[in-house]
Amino acid sequence: TEVIEIADKCDTIYTNLWAKFEDNERFYELDFKGDLNLPVKPIDYAKQAIILPTARANIDTFTDNIALDNLRVFVDAKGTSKRAKEEQEMMRKTFLAIAWHNNINADISPFRVGGKYFAAHGLSPFRVMYSPDMWPDKPEKKKFESDEDYAVAMDKWRADVSFTIPVTISAIHPRNVMPDPENERKLYVVERYTRMKFDVSKRYPHWGNPENRTTEQECIFADFWDDEYRCLLIDGEPVLKGAGGVVKHKYGCLPYVFIESGLGNHSYDYKPEKRYVGINTYLQDLLVSESKAWSIRDIVLMQQSWPWMYRTGPPEVIKQLPDVDQSYGSVQDWPQEVKLVQVTPQVP
């Protein structure tokens, strides 16, 4: 019940920020033709609108200028002894290996994805978790398998285990994460996302499906974490095996890291929509104006370049005439009683 109350409170606090995130995403996808307000009557000029890729270029260039390929790791030594320095170097190499392993095994680098969130929304959340499913399964000796074949399988398994690092670093979309809004040192995080009911039933077969979702419908996940406990709700039903669905996760800390762009403002009213600001957040009016000006110029240029005409004369004769051939050097027979009137638009 307390987890549901916290999630509902965060929903209220982050509503305005989410609207900004959605606008940031819309502008990055160049989906703002409707904002140009081009006339649709008597001619639908909105269909001729041109959206310039400036919003996209801003974010991609920003991301390209973040040094994502040369990750550096610093570890503080726990003492001045030789052993402490050896431990320091071992931990540094271990953390580099974890980052390298996540970078090469992901479909797209989580650091690249996080860098884009950083530029677009001013907030880049990362989740770092132990993933036991990444360990390769230990082979079991089959009924008619020879000792030699089993030894080969075991050697391969040992080699696979030695190259497996079961730690995942994931860049989480900031729209899906609600950090503690009232404390600078975040005491809890709620991650909210959706998954198809089919996948949920496979992962959590004991889940009761309280909303009676069909196979293709999506379920709402609310994943609550603090530095000691975790509670996962699916459509409001806890699914982790523990008292009330709350379990100790044994990480000793929140498995989330939040990196801010610093483009926002720690305002006196502590509004998250003022704190988390992307590079385009306050440029949207200018981006609309730029595309609108380009669109109008293009439309006006076409009108000036190709003047239009109309014909006057007996209707019965006009109906029998073909379209006017305006190609270079063309000659066309024309009835004397029908006149062509060319309309030349005014130069703006």
Side-chain angles (χ1 to χ4, degrees):
T1 303
E2 186 178 355
V3 172
I4 294 174
E5 290 176 354
I6 290 174
D8 289 343
K9 182 187 76 170
C10 288
D11 278 346
T12 303
I13 292 172
Y14 284 105
T15 297
N16 292 335
L17 178 64
W18 288 343
K20 281 199 170 185
F21 284 165
E22 289 165 8
D23 273 344
N24 292 337
E25 199 101 338
R26 186 166 60 87
F27 272 79
Y28 181 71
E29 297 299 335
L30 308 181
D31 183 22
F32 57 94
K33 276 190 177 182
D35 295 354
L36 304 189
N37 289 324
L38 294 176
V40 294
K41 291 182 179 180
I43 300 174
D44 190 356
Y45 291 114
K47 288 184 178 179
Q48 301 178 47
I50 297 173
I51 300 297
L52 299 179
T54 309
R56 209 171 174 90
N58 286 347
I59 291 173
D60 290 344
T61 303
F62 192 145
T63 307
D64 289 340
N65 280 278
I66 304 172
L68 299 170
D69 297 328
N70 301 304
L71 186 67
R72 291 178 294 171
V73 175
F74 300 93
V75 178
D76 293 331
K78 297 179 180 179
T80 58
S81 65
K82 180 180 178 182
R83 179 180 177 83
K85 291 182 179 180
E86 289 174 349
E87 288 180 351
Q88 176 192 22
E89 182 62 11
M90 179 188 69
M91 294 305 296
R92 188 186 71 84
K93 290 180 177 179
T94 299
F95 296 146
L96 273 174
I98 291 172
W100 174 82
H101 191 265
N102 276 269
N103 215 18
I104 66 168
N105 285 289
D107 293 333
I108 180 173
S109 167
F111 307 114
R112 175 75 184 182
V113 175
K116 192 161 286 191
Y117 294 156
F118 180 87
H121 305 295
L123 177 64
S124 185
F126 286 90
R127 183 183 62 215
V128 185
M129 295 187 67
Y130 168 61
S131 302
D133 291 342
M134 294 177 66
W135 287 115
D137 294 330
K138 186 176 181 180
E140 295 182 2
K141 188 174 182 181
K142 299 174 184 177
K143 187 174 182 181
F144 299 105
E145 187 176 22
S146 66
D147 292 341
E148 291 79 8
D149 290 341
Y150 182 64
V152 171
M154 284 296 295
D155 287 341
K156 182 180 183 305
W157 174 76
R158 292 189 190 97
D160 290 342
V161 167
S162 66
F163 284 103
T164 299
I165 303 176
V167 177
T168 56
I169 301 173
S170 305
I172 310 299
H173 196 292
R175 175 63 174 80
N176 295 337
V177 182
M178 298 182 289
D180 176 7
E182 297 180 358
N183 299 279
E184 192 62 33
R185 176 186 170 273
K186 297 170 177 59
L187 302 181
Y188 63 84
V189 172
V190 180
E191 187 178 343
R192 179 163 287 177
Y193 51 93
T194 59
R195 291 289 184 273
M196 288 186 63
K197 186 259 178 183
F198 174 78
D199 296 326
V200 176
S201 298
K202 287 178 61 179
R203 176 73 175 173
Y204 302 100
H206 57 282
W207 175 61
N209 191 11
E211 298 294 331
N212 295 316
R213 307 278 191 191
T214 59
T215 301
E216 68 278 0
Q217 287 182 322
E218 292 188 329
C219 309
I220 300 173
F221 280 61
D223 201 356
F224 172 87
W225 294 78
D226 63 16
D227 58 0
E228 190 173 358
Y229 294 98
R230 181 191 182 191
C231 178
L232 177 60
L233 304 175
I234 305 179
D235 283 342
E237 178 184 327
V239 295
L240 300 180
K241 296 179 180 179
V246 180
V247 299
K248 284 192 173 185
H249 55 66
K250 301 180 182 179
Y251 281 95
C253 63
L254 279 172
Y256 290 87
V257 177
F258 294 87
I259 305 174
E260 300 183 30
S261 67
L263 297 176
N265 176 35
H266 274 277
S267 62
Y268 72 93
D269 51 2
Y270 212 69
K271 296 289 186 182
E273 60 268 24
K274 296 179 182 178
R275 175 173 180 173
Y276 305 119
V277 173
I279 191 171
N280 287 332
T281 302
Y282 292 118
L283 292 179
Q284 290 173 4
D285 287 345
L286 185 61
L287 294 168
V288 168
S289 177
E290 179 191 45
S291 288
K292 185 172 184 177
W294 189 284
S295 298
I296 292 174
R297 187 185 71 172
D298 192 63
I299 292 167
V300 171
L301 178 63
M302 286 191 293
Q303 287 181 335
Q304 293 179 26
S305 301
W306 293 287
W308 59 92
M309 302 178 183
Y310 65 89
R311 296 184 283 207
T312 63
E316 63 275 7
V317 177
I318 291 176
K319 287 181 181 179
Q320 297 176 5
L321 292 176
D323 292 336
V324 179
D325 184 0
Q326 299 186 68
S327 58
Y328 297 122
S330 64
V331 178
Q332 189 169 356
D333 294 332
W334 207 252
Q336 188 174 4
E337 63 269 29
V338 176
K339 294 184 178 181
L340 278 179
V341 181
Q342 179 171 300
V343 180
T344 302
Q346 295 180 355
V347 178

